[in-house]
Amino acid sequence: MRSYQIQAAGAAPELIETDLPEPGDGQVRVAIRACGLNFADLLMQRGTYQDTPAPPFTLGMETAGIVDKVGTNVTHLKPGDRIAVYSGQGGLADFGVFDAERAIALPETMSFEDAAAIQIAYGTSHIALEHRARLRPGENLLVTGAAGGVGLTAVEVGKLMGATVIAQARGADKLAVARAAGADHLIDADEDLRERVRALGGADVVYDAIGGDVFKAAFRATNPEGRLLPIGFAGGEVPQIPANHLLVKNLTVIGVYIGGYLTFRPEVVRNSFETLFRWHGKGRIKPHISHVLPLDRVAEGMGLLKERKSTGKVVITP
C-alpha cells in the first residue's frame, strides 16, 4: 500500500510503499476513500504542531472509508461499514488502522469526500461557537480568514445559530465564497478591519484564524463582554493579549482545541459530529471543497494550503 509519510524529524514527507497494517485490540483497518487536508498537516511537517507524532508517521488527520478488517474486542463495527474517523494521523494512505472508539457511522446520504471535509473544520467551529462561546441569536460574529478551511464553516455554523456574520477575507473571489455561505457583511483584508467592524456595531464574538495584526484589530473592535476565539495563526504570529484591556472591557478570550477534547471529554467531539452529520442529512450544511486530488498529488494539495490558493477544503482520494 501507499503512505504519505514523514520518516525522520526534519525530513520532507514522501509517498512510499509500506506493508499493509494489521488491526490490534480495539482497532479497525479502514480502506481509505477520502482524507481532508488541514493547516495542521503543514505544521506537522515542520515539527511545530502541538500534537506532532514521533516519526515515522503518516500524515492525514480526518478520514472516511470502509471497514476492511476488525481487531479483537470490536463488536460495534464490521467489514463493509462506512465510517468517518478523526484519527489525528494516518489518513493519507490506501489503508489505515485506527481506534474503533473514534469511528462514527456515516449516513448513506453522505459521501466520503463530505465526511472527510466536515470533521475538523465544522467540528472546530461548532464546538467553538456553541460549546465554548455560547453564541446567541442576534449577536455579531466576526470571522477572519472567512474563506479558509475553518473560517468558512464558522460563517455557515454562525448563521445557522442566528448570528449576524461579518466575514473578512482577501479578495473579491474569496469574499464571494463567504457570502454564499451566509455572511451578512463582507470586509476585504486590505480594509481597516477595526473601523469597518465598529461601524457595523462591533463584534460580540470573534472567531480568528489568522492571528497577528488581524487579531489585534479584531480585539479592538470587540464589544464589552465580548468573547474572542483564537482558532489559528495562519498569518504566522501568535498574538499577545493585553490583560488590562480584557479587564477594562470585560472581555473573555477562550481557547479551543478540538483534539484536546479527545483526551479528556471525547463525548464533546462525538456529540458535535453527530449533530453535524444530522445537519448535513437535512441539507443545512454542505462542505465547500475547492479541490479533490488523488493520493499521488497530495504534495500539490499541501501547496494549495501553504500558498492559500484553496477555499474551504482540499480533499485527497486514495
Side-chain angles (χ1 to χ4, degrees), residues 142-159:
L142 169 62
V143 180
T144 69
V150 290
L152 195 60
T153 64
V155 171
E156 197 171 354
V157 171
K159 192 64 179 176

Side-chain angles (χ1 to χ4, degrees), residues 146 152 155-156 159 167 172-184 186 286 288:
L152 195 60
V155 171
E156 197 171 354
K159 192 64 179 176
D173 290 346
K174 290 188 175 183
L175 288 172
V177 171
R179 182 181 290 283
D184 299 284
L186 306 175
K286 173 63 178 176
H288 176 86

Side-chain angles (χ1 to χ4, degrees), residues 14-79:
E14 300 177 78
L15 186 61
I16 63 172
E17 293 286 333
T18 64
D19 293 334
L20 193 67
E22 290 295 325
D25 185 54
Q27 294 183 320
V28 293
R29 187 170 70 201
V30 179
I32 297 169
R33 294 292 182 263
C35 178
L37 299 188
N38 292 274
F39 190 75
D41 291 309
L42 297 176
L43 298 179
M44 284 189 190
Q45 293 182 39
R46 305 172 196 156
T48 58
Y49 189 61
Q50 58 263 30
D51 277 345
T52 300
F57 69 92
T58 299
L59 290 161
M61 302 178 70
E62 53 185 338
T63 64
I66 301 170
V67 175
D68 176 68
K69 187 176 182 180
V70 301
T72 55
N73 296 312
V74 176
T75 58
H76 65 292
L77 295 172
K78 64 184 184 303

Side-chain angles (χ1 to χ4, degrees), residues 129-154:
L129 297 176
E130 195 277 334
H131 181 70
R132 299 291 283 139
R134 306 294 185 188
L135 178 68
R136 297 186 293 267
E139 289 192 308
N140 280 355
L141 167 66
L142 169 62
V143 180
T144 69
V150 290
L152 195 60
T153 64

